[in-house]
Amino acid sequence: MSWRDLRCGEPRPEHEGREVTLAGWAARRRDHGGLVFIDLRDESGVMQLVLNPEHAPRATEVAHGVRNEFVLQARGTVVRRSAETVNPKMATGEVEVQVEELTVLSVSTPLPFQLDEENVDEALRMKYRWLDLRREHMQRNIRVRAQLVRIIREEMEGDGFLDIETPMLWKPTPEGARDFVVPSRLQPGKFYALPQSPQIAKQLLIISGFERYYQIARCMRDEDPRADRLQELTQLDVELAFPDREFIFALMERIVTRIWRECIGVELEAPFQRMTYDEAMLRFGIDRPDLRFGMEIQEVTTDTRDSEFGVFANAPCVRCIAVPRELSRTEVQALENQAKSWGAKGLAYVVFRGDGDVSSPIAKFLAPELLQRWREPGHTLLFGADDPRLVAKVLGLLRLQLGRELGLVDESLWKFLWVVDMPAAEWDEQAERWIAAHHPFTRPTDDSIEIFKTDPGAARAVAYDLVGNGIELAGGSFRIHEPWLQQQVFENLGIGEEEQREKFGFLLDALAMGAPPHGGIASGIDRLTMALLGEQFIRDTQAFPKNQAGYDYMTDAPIELSDEQLDELGLRVVVEADVT
C-alpha cells in the first residue's frame, strides 16, 4: 500500500494537473461556506487542500469533522491558485490540491495546547513532548542539531579519525561531578558508573594504537541541571596521538565555521583570536569572555595606592569598570547588593555627570589629577577592592549584567576566541583542598611541573577552551603520558598511592607500557546547538529532556522499584525520618 506519492512540501506549479496522494497532519481547517480548506503538514512543509461539495461531496463531509492534528490521506489534483490567493510565505503557495477523496487515518483527542500557542508552561510542554516536538520551532532545533552532527562526522572522518564506541557501564572515577551508579545483579553489592565522559577510555584507545579517535558520546553527570547544563548530554569527543595544538585548533575552527555557515548562513572569520587565561581574567573577570562589547576591567591598584580612601590604599587589588551611563544612587545601591551576593564587601563608585560634575562619596579622598585622568562625562566608574580573584569575579559578573541591561551587546555579532594556558588546579572551598581544574589527567606545562608541587594555584596546564559569545563551546588539553608524572600529579592533588592503585591502577599500568604523547578536545553538542540557535534553555535542543530536578514529566521517571526488583538487585531503600 502506498500512503503518498508526494510529500506535502513538494507540489509546485510544474505539477499542475497531476493527480497526487498526500498524507500528513491537519494543521488548520477553515470552513468558507461550502468550501473547506485544510492545511496539511508533514516534515517537508504544508500543502493547502481544497474540498468542494459540488465536486467531492463525501470528502467534504469528512472534512467537516476534521480537527487539528488529525492524520489524513488526501487524493486529488494539483491546480494553480488564482493570482490574488497566492501565498508567497509558503514554498507551496502557488498551488493547491483539489481533493477528490479524503481519509481520516487517525484522530486526535482535544489538545492540551495548540502548536502555534505562545508561552505554554514548560511542564505542560514536557509532559506532552511528542506534541511539543511537532511545533515548527522544535522541529528546527532537532533538525539543525542533526545537521550539525552530520557536519562534525564528515569533518572528523575526512581527517582520518575513527569512530569508536566506549562502554556505558564503567568504573566510578573522580572527574568533577557525581556519578550515576548502576547496580549489578550478577555481582551483588557491586556497582557500575555511567560515564561522565569517555576520558580514560579514549586515552586507552590511543595507547592501544588507534592514533585518531572520535565519538559522538553520551555522558551522564548527576548534578543539578541549569539553563545551560544537563544530566544527560552528548559531546563530540576527540583524542589523537602525538598531538599538535595548532592542528586541534584548526580542526575545530573548520568544524565550527562550516556549522555556522551551513546551518544559519553566518560566515565566521578564522583563525580565531587567542587569549591567555590570565589576560581574560584581568580584562573581563571571567575565563569565557564575551567580546561583543567593551567595558573592560581596568587595573587601578597602583593609581590608588596612595589614596586617602583606606579601602583603596590597603586592598590587595583595586580594579574598576567604566559604565557608559550616569547611574543613580538607587541603581548603584542595587548593583552593590548584587555584588555583595557574589561575595564583595561593597561597591565604590564615581559618577561623571554630563556637565562635568563629579558625584561620589569617595571623590574627596581621591587626587584631583586622578579624577581628571578618569573623567569621561556621562560615565560611572564602579570599583572592586579586595582579593584579585574576588574582584575579577564580581566586576566580571557586573560587566555581563550591565552589558545586557544597557543594550551594549550586539546580538548580530559572533565573536570566537581560544582561551589558553588554563590553571592546572583550583581550590575547593568546601573540601578545603586543591582539585584538578580540568581533570587529573591534564598535563601541566613544562615549567609548571615543579611549581605544581608547592603552589598548585600558580601552575598552568596545556589546556584550552573555545569560547563563542561568552559561551564555552569546547574544551581540551594534552594528557599526561608518563606514569611517574601522572603519579606525581595525583599526589599533588591529595590522591595517595593506595587510592591511585585502587581507582586508576589500570591506567597507570597502561601508561607504563609505551604510551605516546596524546591529547584532544570535547565539545558539547547540546550547548553548541543552544549557542548556534540562540536558545535560552539547553533543554530545547534535546528531543526528550528532563526538568531542572532531573524529572521526566512525560514518563514520570525516576520511579520506585518493586520489592521483587530490589531483592533481585540486593538493594534496600532507606527513607530518612521526617525531622519536622
Side-chain angles (χ1 to χ4, degrees):
M1 179 179 183
S2 175
W3 296 105
R4 58 188 180 185
D5 51 30
L6 277 184
R7 298 197 297 174
C8 294
E10 294 177 342
R12 296 292 188 273
E14 56 265 29
H15 295 109
E16 183 181 9
R18 174 175 165 178
E19 184 176 283
V20 297
T21 301
L22 307 177
W25 287 263
R28 187 183 178 199
R29 179 182 65 86
R30 307 178 301 282
D31 280 344
H32 289 182
L35 294 178
V36 178
F37 296 87
I38 296 175
D39 290 340
L40 194 67
R41 180 196 76 243
D42 65 14
E43 68 175 8
S44 69
V46 177
M47 185 71 242
Q48 178 172 279
L49 309 180
V50 182
L51 296 106
N52 189 327
E54 295 182 5
H55 296 114
R58 182 174 298 178
T60 304
E61 185 63 31
V62 171
H64 284 301
V66 169
R67 298 293 180 268
N68 285 1
E69 300 309 300
F70 277 28
V71 180
L72 309 175
Q73 183 186 52
R75 182 179 61 80
T77 303
V78 178
V79 299
R80 282 183 177 268
R81 294 196 195 191
S82 60
E84 62 272 14
T85 62
V86 167
N87 186 347
K89 296 180 180 179
M90 294 173 57
T92 59
E94 294 181 73
V95 296
E96 58 193 14
V97 172
Q98 296 280 1
V99 177
E100 299 168 12
E101 183 178 337
L102 185 68
T103 303
V104 176
L105 302 178
S106 178
V107 300
S108 172
T109 58
L111 302 178
F113 55 87
Q114 298 300 316
L115 270 61
D116 59 356
E117 189 176 341
E118 299 290 339
N119 301 317
V120 179
D121 179 71
E122 186 180 37
L124 191 64
R125 288 178 51 208
M126 295 176 76
K127 181 176 177 63
Y128 298 96
R129 191 63 166 182
W130 61 85
L131 185 64
D132 187 44
L133 286 171
R134 293 182 195 170
R135 295 190 302 124
E136 183 178 352
H137 182 81
M138 290 303 301
Q139 287 274 317
R140 178 205 66 162
N141 286 5
I142 302 304
R143 293 181 188 284
V144 168
R145 179 186 171 119
Q147 182 184 8
L148 177 155
V149 171
R150 174 183 58 77
I151 291 170
I152 288 173
R153 289 191 180 279
E154 290 174 356
E155 291 295 330
M156 296 306 301
E157 292 175 11
D159 256 332
F161 286 83
L162 189 65
D163 182 1
I164 307 176
E165 292 183 352
T166 52
M168 292 300 292
L169 298 176
W170 194 245
K171 181 178 182 177
T173 55
E175 293 188 31
R178 295 183 185 89
D179 288 315
F180 281 104
V181 294
V182 180
S184 171
R185 178 182 59 83
L186 299 177
Q187 303 286 331
K190 296 185 178 180
F191 298 82
Y192 300 102
L194 299 179
Q196 294 184 31
S197 78
Q199 179 58 48
I200 297 180
K202 68 183 178 184
Q203 290 188 243
L204 294 173
L205 285 170
I206 300 301
I207 296 170
S208 301
F210 298 100
E211 294 188 16
R212 292 191 176 186
Y213 144 94
Y214 91 100
Q215 185 182 182
I216 305 297
R218 293 290 285 168
C219 304
M220 316 292 173
R221 297 168 188 172
D222 188 7
E223 56 188 1
D224 298 335
R226 297 198 303 245
D228 64 345
R229 181 176 292 177
L230 296 160
Q231 292 180 322
E232 295 179 69
L233 58 139
T234 306
Q235 70 181 32
L236 164 64
D237 205 50
V238 180
E239 195 81 3
L240 66 159
F242 312 107
D244 180 305
R245 195 182 75 170
E246 294 306 311
F247 173 83
I248 294 172
F249 284 12
L251 170 67
M252 290 303 299
E253 288 171 355
R254 191 168 67 250
I255 289 172
V256 169
T257 54
R258 185 178 165 194
I259 286 171
W260 257 250
R261 179 189 311 117
E262 296 185 16
C263 293
I264 62 172
V266 171
E267 197 68 43
L268 301 178
E269 293 185 16
F272 300 151
Q273 179 179 345
R274 313 285 177 87
M275 185 181 297
T276 67
Y277 169 88
D278 291 335
E279 181 184 356
M281 295 303 293
L282 182 65
R283 294 172 56 190
F284 302 98
I286 195 169
D287 61 359
R288 44 181 178 82
D290 190 337
L291 304 182
R292 290 175 295 172
F293 68 106
M295 209 164 66
E296 294 185 19
I297 298 171
Q298 302 174 39
E299 175 63 66
V300 294
T301 305
T302 302
D303 292 338
T304 59
R305 185 52 69 215
D306 296 329
S307 168
E308 295 180 20
F309 185 46
V311 173
F312 286 1
N314 301 316
C317 168
V318 184
R319 295 175 186 166
C320 69
I321 54 174
V323 183
R325 176 173 162 180
E326 297 179 30
L327 298 178
S328 68
R329 177 56 190 156
T330 300
E331 289 172 319
V332 172
Q333 184 61 58
L335 293 173
E336 182 174 27
N337 292 337
Q338 183 68 71
K340 287 180 177 178
S341 73
W342 294 325
K345 297 182 181 68
L347 191 67
Y349 70 96
V350 174
V351 180
F352 294 105
R353 303 296 182 192
D355 59 8
D357 286 347
V358 177
S359 175
S360 168
I362 68 169
K364 60 186 177 183
F365 301 112
L366 300 173
E369 59 271 19
L370 188 57
L371 288 173
Q372 184 58 36
R373 192 192 317 164
W374 289 342
R375 187 184 304 276
E376 190 170 359
H379 279 60
T380 301
L381 297 184
L382 299 177
F383 294 86
D386 209 311
D387 173 79
R389 292 185 64 181
L390 181 58
V391 170
K393 171 187 173 182
V394 171
L395 291 183
L397 291 172
L398 283 176
R399 173 184 178 269
L400 291 175
Q401 177 178 316
L402 289 165
R404 292 189 296 268
E405 291 179 353
L406 301 181
L408 304 179
V409 181
D410 186 342
E411 299 291 350
S412 67
L413 288 180
W414 287 100
K415 291 288 188 177
F416 286 77
L417 79 155
W418 290 100
V419 179
V420 300
D421 299 337
M422 309 290 286
E426 58 188 22
W427 182 253
D428 186 326
E429 296 285 352
Q430 190 171 10
E432 295 186 341
R433 66 180 182 88
W434 290 101
I435 61 172
H438 191 50
H439 53 60
F441 321 111
T442 301
R443 185 179 191 81
T445 59
D446 290 342
D447 56 2
S448 288
I449 291 175
E450 291 302 314
I451 296 173
F452 208 148
K453 295 179 182 179
T454 57
D455 188 6
R460 291 293 177 261
V462 188
Y464 32 83
D465 285 346
L466 176 60
V467 177
N469 286 5
I471 303 171
E472 181 190 329
L473 299 177
S477 67
F478 286 10
R479 325 305 183 189
I480 300 168
H481 69 277
E482 309 95 329
W484 65 267
L485 181 56
Q486 183 64 79
Q487 289 173 302
Q488 178 182 308
V489 169
F490 281 152
E491 291 170 4
N492 296 340
L493 296 172
I495 303 174
E497 185 175 350
E498 184 177 342
E499 186 179 0
Q500 291 179 33
R501 290 307 309 175
E502 177 188 350
K503 294 182 176 178
F504 305 106
F506 64 102
L507 174 62
L508 293 171
D509 289 343
L511 293 176
M513 297 182 186
H518 55 286
I521 195 166
S523 177
I525 300 297
D526 318 276
R527 188 174 293 178
L528 197 62
T529 308
M530 180 186 181
L532 176 73
L533 297 178
E535 283 294 335
Q536 184 179 3
F537 299 108
I538 199 168
R539 295 184 293 279
D540 281 340
T541 70
Q542 289 189 340
F544 300 106
K546 297 173 180 59
N547 73 352
Q548 296 94 324
Y551 176 71
D552 184 346
Y553 284 102
M554 186 174 66
T555 65
D556 287 330
I559 63 169
E560 296 178 350
L561 295 181
S562 68
D563 291 340
E564 291 79 6
Q565 289 172 303
L566 291 172
D567 289 342
E568 189 174 34
L569 295 170
L571 298 177
R572 181 167 59 92
V573 176
V574 178
V575 180
E576 293 185 9
D578 187 352
V579 295
T580 61

